[in-house]
Amino acid sequence: ERALEGRESITLAELVELAPITEGLSELIAWLLLASEDARHTISDATDELVTYRLPDDERPRALRVPLVIFRRAEVPAPHA
């Protein structure tokens, strides 16, 4: 919710930029699960995005292509498909 302060929505890639991944792939999977369990968030079957991150103990950049995930604040309804 803090990442959504001042905005209606945020993509997973934007979220990872604001709150960097520290636990690796398992953390990305947790974000995907969170989005899938709440109807106000959207996971696109038609569009994907590249999520890039670095682990605290490894300077190598990592990237993963995932479905486009949009997180929304509680008071912003998800669009109807």
Side-chain angles (χ1 to χ4, degrees):
E1 293 287 329
R2 267 182 69 210
L4 288 167
E5 288 178 5
R7 56 171 56 180
E8 293 182 2
S9 64
I10 189 170
T11 68
L12 179 57
E14 293 169 331
L15 179 63
V16 168
E17 286 181 28
L18 291 174
I21 296 286
T22 59
E23 302 298 322
L25 187 56
S26 62
E27 190 172 348
L28 274 175
I29 291 170
W31 283 116
L32 289 167
L33 285 171
L34 179 69
S36 72
E37 294 173 349
D38 190 329
R40 66 185 159 147
H41 309 310
T42 303
I43 300 176
S44 173
D45 291 331
T47 307
D48 58 355
E49 67 179 339
L50 189 64
V51 175
T52 58
Y53 64 96
R54 294 178 192 265
L55 296 176
D57 60 346
D58 186 353
E59 286 300 312
R60 291 181 302 156
R62 299 172 191 264
L64 184 66
R65 187 158 298 280
V66 298
L68 176 65
V69 178
I70 301 172
F71 294 95
R72 289 182 179 75
R73 286 193 325 224
E75 60 272 7
V76 178
H80 298 291

